[in-house]
C-alpha cells in the first residue's frame, strides 16, 4: 500500500511515536498522506475506524477523503470513521453533551444571516455596514475564546464597546432560542472540555488518533479543541503549509504553527517538497516569490514534470483590453492544443474583477462557472424550507418560527407576532409555546389565533412523522401541506417561480438521497443542513472555464491559469499595504501561481477606471519578486489594437473554432 509513496510521504504515514507536523507544499500529495495514514492505522496498527478523527475545513474535502479511504480499505465497515469539518465535529460533541450545556439535543444552528438578524434586533441598528462590523467583532472574540465580560475590558474604541455590550445580550438571546452560532460549535466544546474533566476523558477515549488537514487555517479555538482532544498522549498528525496561510482575515492564526512547537517540544516535522502538479518553471517562480516572506520553516518545491514554458506576463491598456486579451489567448491556446474549456481558469483578487471577463466569455459564447458566488443555501426559497425544518426540530427557535409562519402567508402578520411576542416575554417562553398558552386568547384575536394554532398543530404532526418516517415522504407531504409551489407561482413571475421551484426540487431530492444513503431521519438531517454551505453536486456543470477569486481557488488545480489584475493596490490589496500585512497577500499570490499545472499567464493594466475617474496602475511588486525567468509582452511599447482589427481577429478565431466542432 505504501510502495507508491515517496520517502517523506512514507515516513509521515508510518510515524506514530509522538505528535507530528507534516509541512505539505502545494501539490505535494497531502490528502494521499492523510488517507494512507488512516488506512495504515486501521490495517497495520489495530485502530478501529471509530477511534480515528480526520478533521478538515470543507465538506468537499471531507467527502473526497472518505471516498479515498473507502477505496484503500475495500470491504471494511467505515460508517463509524470520523471524517468531518471542525464544525461538524463540534456539532456532534454538542449534540451528545447537550445536557451538560443546558441545550436540547436538537438545538438550532444559526448561520451568519440568522446571527446578523438577532444582533440587528438587539442593536436597533439600521446601518448594515456597521451591523456587519459589530457581528464581525463578536465572532472574532468567540474564535479567540474571549467571553463577554472580558470583551468589555478589552474594548479599544467606540465600536468595540458597542459590540462588547451587545455580546452578552446576544448570548442570552441564543440560549433563549436554544440555538448556537457557527463560532459556538467550536467554542462551547472547548469550554465544556475545560470545565468537565470526565467529559473530556470520555472523548479522548473515543477519538484516539487525530489527523488535522489545512492546519495553518486553524484559529485559536480550533487549535485549543485539537489540543484538548489530543491530551497528554498527543497522538496526532497536523498537516499544513505556512506558505498557504491566507485566512487571517477570518480568524485563522498562522502562529498556531509556532505554538505547536512550544506546546509539544517532542514534535517531529516532516517536509513534503516534491510537487506532483506543476512544471518546474512555475515552481521556480513560486519559490522565488515566497522566499521574500519571513519563514518559520524553509521549504522548496520541486517537480519531475519537466521544465515547461516560461511564465507569461502581459500588459493591457485597461481592464476591457485585459479581458479581451485573456479570452483571445485562452481561445487560441485551446484551439492549438485541442484542449477543453475546463482546462482553463481565470483567477483574481476580488469578485468585482470578474465582470469584464464574464462579458468577454459571453460575447464569445464560451461556457463558464464562477466559484465563490452565492451559496445554494443562501437562496431565499431554500432558507424558507430550512426554517420549517429547524422549527420541526426545535420549537424554541423563534427566528425559524417567524419565517415559517409567514412563508407562505397564512393570515399571520406582524401585529399577531407582536402580540404573541408580548405573551412569550411574560411567560419567558418561545413564540411556539406562547401560541398554545391558555392566556393566548387574551393577547391574539380569535381568527389569527386559529391560524397560529393550525400552523402549530401542523408542525407537531410533522415533528412526530419526521422522527419515524423516511425523509423523502415527510418532505413531499410538507411541501404539499404548506402549498409552497402554488405560493411561489402566485408571488413571482413564471420564469422566476420555475427557477425557485427547481431549486426546491433539487434540495428535496438531495436531502432525501442523503437520508437514504446515511439511514437518517429528517430530524437527524436538519442539523447536517446547517453545516453544509454548498449543495454537494458532484457534476460541476460540465466543460466550462472556471472564474474564481484566489481565496476560492485554494485547493483546486487547472492545466492553464490566467492570474489577472496583478497590480499594486489590488494584489497586494491597498488595505494590506496600509496595515502592513503584505506577507499574507504574497502567500495569496503564491496560492494563485501554484494552481497552474502546465502554463501560467500573469496580466496587469496600465490604467483602470474607478467610478468616472481613470487612474494610473503600477505592476505588482510580486511580479519582480518572481525572478527573471518571465516572458513579457504588451504595454506602451506594443502597438495598440484598434477595434476593427480586434473584431476581425475575433471573427477569424470564431471561424477556426467552429471548424473544430
Amino acid at each position: 500500500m505504501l510502495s507508491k509513496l515517496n520517502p517523506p510521504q512514507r515516513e509521515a504515514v508510518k510515524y506514530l511515536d509522538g505528535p507530528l507536523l507534516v509541512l505539505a507544499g502545494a501539490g505535494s500529495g497531502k490528502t494521499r498522506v492523510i488517507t494512507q495514514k488512516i488506512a495504515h492505522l486501521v490495517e497495520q496498527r489495530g485502530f478501529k475506524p471509530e477511534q480515528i478523527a480526520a478533521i478538515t475545513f470543507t465538506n468537499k474535502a471531507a467527502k473526497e477523503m472518505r471516498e479515498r479511504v473507502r477505496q484503500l480499505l475495500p470491504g471494511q465497515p467505515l460508517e463509524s470513521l470520523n471524517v468531518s469539518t471542525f464544525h461538524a465535529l463540534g456539532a456532534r460533541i454538542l449534540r451528545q453533551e447537550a445536557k451538560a450545556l443546558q441545550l436540547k439535543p436538537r438545538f438550532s444552528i444559526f448561520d451568519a444571516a440568522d446571527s446578523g438578524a438577532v444582533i440587528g434586533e438587539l442593536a436597533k441598528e439600521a446601518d448594515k455596514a456597521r451591523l456587519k462590523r459589530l457581528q464581525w467583532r463578536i465572532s472574532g472574540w468567540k474564535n479567540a475564546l474571549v467571553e463577554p465580560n472580558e470583551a468589555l475590558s478589552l474594548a479599544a474604541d467606540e465600536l468595540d464597546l458597542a459590540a462588547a455590550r451587545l455580546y452578552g445580550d446576544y448570548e442570552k438571546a441564543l440560549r433563549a432560542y436554544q440555538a448556537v452560532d457557527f463560532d459556538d460549535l467550536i467554542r462551547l466544546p472547548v469550554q465544556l472540555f475545560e470545565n468537565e474533566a470526565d467529559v473530556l476523558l470520555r472523548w479522548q477515549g473515543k477519538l484516539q488518533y487525530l489527523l488535522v488537514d489545512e492546519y495553518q487555517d486553524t484559529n485559536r479555538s480550533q487549535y485549543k479543541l485539537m489540543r484538548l482532544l489530543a491530551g497528554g498522549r498527543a497522538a496526532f498528525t497536523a498537516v499544513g503549509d505556512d506558505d498557504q496561510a491566507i485566512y487571517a482575515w477570518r480568524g485563522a492564526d498562522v502562529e498556531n504553527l509556532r505554538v505547536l512547537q512550544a506546546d509539544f517540544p517532542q514534535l517531529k516535522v516532516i517536509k513534503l517538497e516534491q510537487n506532483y502538479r506543476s512544471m518546474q518553471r512555475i515552481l521556480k517562480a513560486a519559490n522565488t516569490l515566497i522566499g521574500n516572506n519571513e519563514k518559520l520553516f524553509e521549504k522548496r518545491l520541486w517537480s519531475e514534470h519537466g521544465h515547461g514554458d516560461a511564465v507569461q506576463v502581459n500588459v493591457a491598456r485597461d481592464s476591457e483590453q485585459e479581458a479581451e486579451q485573456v479570452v483571445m489567448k485562452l481561445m487560441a491556446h485551446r484551439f492549438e492544443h485541442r484542449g477543453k474549456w475546463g482546462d482553463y481558469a481565470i483567477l483574481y483578487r476580488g469578485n468585482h474583477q470578474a465582470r469584464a471577463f464574464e462579458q468577454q466569455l459571453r460575447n464569445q459564447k464560451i461556457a463558464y462557472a464562477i466559484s465563490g458566488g452565492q451559496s445554494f443555501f443562501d437562496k431565499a426559497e431554500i432558507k424558507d424550507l430550512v426554517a420549517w425544518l429547524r422549527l420541526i426540530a426545535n420549537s424554541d427557535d423563534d427566528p425559524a418560527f417567524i419565517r415559517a409562519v409567514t412563508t407562505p402567508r397564512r393570515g399571520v402578520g406582524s401585529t399577531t407576532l407582536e402580540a404573541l411576542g408580548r405573551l412569550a416575554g411574560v411567560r419567558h417562553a418561545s413564540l411556539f409555546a406562547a401560541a398554545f398558552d391558555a392566556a393566548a386568547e387574551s393577547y391574539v384575536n380569535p381568527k389569527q389565533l386559529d391560524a397560529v394554532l393550525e400552523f402549530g398543530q401542523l408542525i407537531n404532526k410533522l415533528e412526530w412523522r419526521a422522527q419515524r418516517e423516511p425523509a423523502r415522504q415527510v418532505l413531499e407531504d410538507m411541501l404539499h401541506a404548506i402549498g409552497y409551489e402554488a405560493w411561489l407561482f402566485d408571488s413571482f413571475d413564471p420564469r422566476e417561480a420555475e427557477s425557485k421551484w427547481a431549486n426546491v426540487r433539487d434540495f428535496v431530492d438531495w436531502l432525501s438521497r442523503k437520508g437514504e444513503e446515511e439511514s437518517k431521519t429528517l430530524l437527524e438531517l436538519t442539523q447536517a443542513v446547517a453545516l453544509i454551505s454548498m449543495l454537494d453536486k458532484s457534476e460541476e456543470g460540465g466543460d466550462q472555464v472556471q472564474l474564481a477569486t484566489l481565496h476560492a481557488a485554494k485547493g483546486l488545480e487547472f492545466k492553464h491559469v490566467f492570474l489577472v489584475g496583478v497590480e499594486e493596490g489590488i494584489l497586494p490589496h491597498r488595505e494590506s499595504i496600509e496595515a502592513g500585512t503584505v506577507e499574507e497577500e504574497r502567500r495569496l499570490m503564491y496560492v494563485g501561481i501554484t494552481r497552474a499545472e502546465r502554463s501560467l499567464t500573469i496580466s496587469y493594466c496600465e490604467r483602470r477606471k474607478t467610478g468616472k475617474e481613470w487612474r494610473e496602475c503600477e505592476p505588482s511588486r510580486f511580479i519582480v519578486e518572481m525572478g527573471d525567468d518571465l516572458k513579457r509582452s504588451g504595454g506602451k511599447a506594443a502597438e495598440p489594437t484598434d477595434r476593427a482589427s480586434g473584431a476581425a481577429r475575433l471573427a477569424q478565431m470564431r471561424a477556426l473554432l467552429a471548424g473544430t466542432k
Side-chain angles (χ1 to χ4, degrees), residues 141 145-155 160-161 163-169 171-172 187 191:
W141 283 322
L145 301 171
V146 172
E147 291 304 299
N149 54 351
E150 198 184 338
L152 270 170
S153 64
L154 289 173
D160 267 7
L161 201 56
R165 285 175 182 145
L166 269 177
Y167 185 5
D169 293 338
E171 283 300 282
K172 285 176 194 151
R187 171 178 158 261
Q191 282 182 356

Side-chain angles (χ1 to χ4, degrees), residues 257-328:
L257 283 160
R258 209 184 303 275
V259 170
L260 200 62
Q261 286 186 304
D263 286 354
F264 298 96
Q266 73 276 42
L267 182 76
K268 183 173 178 66
V269 178
I270 296 173
K271 297 177 190 176
L272 305 184
E273 295 171 294
Q274 183 174 357
N275 173 286
Y276 292 91
R277 178 185 299 157
S278 307
M279 306 302 271
Q280 190 59 40
R281 277 168 113 168
I282 292 169
L283 296 180
K284 184 184 172 191
N287 285 329
T288 309
L289 169 81
I290 205 67
N292 290 279
N293 270 6
E294 265 188 56
K295 291 292 201 128
L296 192 55
F297 303 97
E298 278 303 325
K299 185 169 80 283
R300 197 161 183 84
L301 296 179
W302 59 277
S303 161
E304 291 179 339
H305 283 340
H307 207 46
D309 297 330
V311 174
Q312 298 268 343
V313 178
N314 292 334
V315 189
R317 280 195 318 275
D318 53 37
S319 56
E320 256 184 59
Q321 195 197 39
E322 181 185 37
E324 186 183 306
Q325 283 179 358
V326 164
V327 172
M328 281 192 65

Side-chain angles (χ1 to χ4, degrees), residues 160-387:
D160 267 7
L161 201 56
R165 285 175 182 145
L166 269 177
Y167 185 5
D169 293 338
Y170 172 61
E171 283 300 282
K172 285 176 194 151
L174 286 179
R175 294 299 87 82
Y177 298 147
Q178 281 290 300
V180 298
D181 63 20
F182 257 47
D183 303 317
D184 288 333
L185 293 174
I186 315 294
R187 171 178 158 261
L188 292 177
V190 167
Q191 282 182 356
L192 179 67
F193 288 161
E194 286 183 326
N195 297 330
E196 305 282 345
D198 56 329
V199 177
L200 175 58
L201 273 172
R202 188 163 68 247
W203 279 91
Q204 286 174 341
K206 277 184 185 185
L207 306 177
Q208 294 189 16
Y209 200 91
L210 302 178
L211 299 110
V212 180
D213 188 19
E214 304 285 10
Y215 175 76
Q216 77 283 348
D217 293 337
T218 54
N219 59 35
R220 188 178 300 179
S221 58
Q222 287 160 341
Y223 171 65
K224 199 85 175 276
L225 181 63
M226 183 195 100
R227 203 180 77 194
L228 285 162
L229 283 170
R233 200 171 51 229
F236 69 81
T237 296
V239 182
D241 181 6
D242 49 335
D243 291 334
Q244 294 188 74
I246 58 172
Y247 291 114
W249 54 275
R250 70 176 190 201
D253 192 351
V254 73
E255 277 299 299
N256 284 347
L257 283 160
R258 209 184 303 275
V259 170
L260 200 62
Q261 286 186 304
D263 286 354
F264 298 96
Q266 73 276 42
L267 182 76
K268 183 173 178 66
V269 178
I270 296 173
K271 297 177 190 176
L272 305 184
E273 295 171 294
Q274 183 174 357
N275 173 286
Y276 292 91
R277 178 185 299 157
S278 307
M279 306 302 271
Q280 190 59 40
R281 277 168 113 168
I282 292 169
L283 296 180
K284 184 184 172 191
N287 285 329
T288 309
L289 169 81
I290 205 67
N292 290 279
N293 270 6
E294 265 188 56
K295 291 292 201 128
L296 192 55
F297 303 97
E298 278 303 325
K299 185 169 80 283
R300 197 161 183 84
L301 296 179
W302 59 277
S303 161
E304 291 179 339
H305 283 340
H307 207 46
D309 297 330
V311 174
Q312 298 268 343
V313 178
N314 292 334
V315 189
R317 280 195 318 275
D318 53 37
S319 56
E320 256 184 59
Q321 195 197 39
E322 181 185 37
E324 186 183 306
Q325 283 179 358
V326 164
V327 172
M328 281 192 65
K329 280 178 187 294
L330 191 156
M331 289 165 69
H333 192 280
R334 175 180 174 270
F335 173 71
E336 188 185 339
H337 296 272
R338 299 288 192 273
K340 302 199 300 274
W341 295 122
D343 294 340
Y344 297 86
I346 300 171
L347 308 181
Y348 37 79
R349 176 66 177 82
N351 274 312
H352 66 279
Q353 292 167 263
R355 190 192 56 77
F357 296 95
E358 282 194 79
Q359 187 66 56
Q360 283 295 332
L361 290 165
R362 277 202 300 271
N363 289 350
Q364 305 311 319
K365 298 182 171 53
I366 298 170
Y368 66 89
I370 296 188
S371 289
Q374 188 192 31
S375 158
F376 184 84
F377 281 86
D378 286 339
K379 294 180 187 295
E381 58 274 20
I382 304 305
K383 288 183 90 74
D384 289 343
L385 296 192
V386 170

